[in-house]
Amino acid sequence: MNISVDSPGFGSAHDRPRTDAALWSAAADGDANAFGALFERHSDAVYNHCFRRTADWGVAEDLTSLVFLQAWRRRRAVAMTGESVLPWLLAVANNLLRNADRMSRRQRRLMARLRPAAAPTAEPGIEEDLAARLDDERTMRRIRDGFERLPAAEREVLSLVAWAGLSYADVAVVLEVPVGTVKSRLARARSRLRQMLPDDALDGIQENRLR
């Protein structure tokens, strides 16, 4: 798979961080540090994207790991050109999300057993963090209830543009559709979602606002 966007300019290594294209090329040659830099740069965006689609922090963590595992395995097969590898990573995430419902309950139970058990008594700071995570999950589930009632094509565009923050052009590349199709699907998705959900359902997580 080729990711075709405009070629970036290259300045002095002291002037700017290495581009995604340069890091991807180095990773393809076996530079694990370069791949690690890509992970540090984009893992939060992939993680948040997966959480918004699943409303489950644990599942989002598993999916994020799988996205970067696939990226590492395919680093020599994918010719990345352009400014950002994020659109391609999110396309991989979307493929995994489509298959997430097909995962067997046995596999999910196995992953749960592999996670470290929670300490019997959590420190106050940890308790507050857990409470915040649970609140986020409840809020996200309310949003997802409406989100899952959208047509699949509109769900993909909405998540990539409104939540992941990709440009129309990048989404068009990811989904292999014209830019005009991206815009029309997004407009329909926003209209449907606002009709289905109360206003306060969109206020819990700032990044998810569709205004």
Side-chain angles (χ1 to χ4, degrees):
M1 174 179 177
N2 290 330
I3 309 167
S4 298
V5 290
D6 293 337
S7 298
F10 289 89
S12 167
H14 299 291
D15 296 334
R16 64 176 69 184
R18 295 173 70 185
T19 64
D20 280 11
L23 291 169
W24 188 264
S25 177
D29 290 335
D31 186 344
N33 289 332
F35 188 82
L38 288 171
F39 178 85
E40 291 295 328
R41 187 173 293 176
H42 297 300
S43 59
D44 283 350
V46 174
Y47 179 58
N48 288 331
H49 178 72
C50 292
F51 169 67
R52 290 163 186 150
R53 293 292 302 273
T54 63
D56 187 302
W57 291 111
V59 173
E61 289 170 0
D62 294 333
L63 289 171
T64 300
S65 297
L66 289 173
V67 167
F68 283 93
L69 178 61
Q70 285 200 23
W72 176 254
R73 287 175 173 171
R74 299 179 61 187
R75 67 193 186 281
R76 294 187 180 91
V78 175
M80 189 263 160
T81 59
E83 296 181 356
S84 178
V85 73
L86 181 60
W88 183 79
L89 292 172
L90 294 182
V92 173
N94 278 346
N95 288 334
L96 292 172
L97 285 160
R98 292 189 196 104
N99 295 328
D101 290 338
R102 301 174 190 173
M103 293 176 61
S104 69
R105 293 181 180 178
R106 179 179 179 183
Q107 289 173 312
R108 294 190 181 189
R109 287 197 298 268
L110 175 60
M111 287 190 293
R113 288 198 297 270
L114 291 175
R115 295 192 190 105
T121 304
E123 298 178 2
I126 296 177
E127 290 179 351
E128 292 174 2
D129 181 61
L130 289 174
R133 286 164 68 93
L134 290 174
D135 285 343
D136 281 350
E137 288 186 354
R138 282 192 291 267
T139 300
M140 199 63 236
R141 287 192 187 105
R142 294 181 66 193
I143 296 173
R144 195 185 61 167
D145 286 343
F147 181 84
E148 292 298 326
R149 291 159 62 189
L150 298 173
E154 294 178 13
R155 290 200 303 268
E156 288 190 334
V157 169
L158 181 66
S159 64
L160 292 171
V161 175
W163 289 347
L166 297 188
S167 68
Y168 294 144
D170 281 342
V171 175
V173 171
V174 170
L175 301 180
E176 299 181 344
V177 298
V179 171
T181 300
V182 172
K183 293 180 179 179
S184 61
R185 288 179 183 176
L186 180 63
R188 288 196 299 269
R190 282 173 163 163
S191 177
R192 292 183 207 268
L193 197 56
R194 287 197 181 100
Q195 292 174 8
M196 288 188 288
L197 293 176
D199 290 341
D200 63 350
L202 301 177
D203 292 336
I205 301 175
Q206 181 71 24
E207 292 84 354
N208 293 339
R209 291 185 178 175
L210 306 181
R211 297 175 177 81

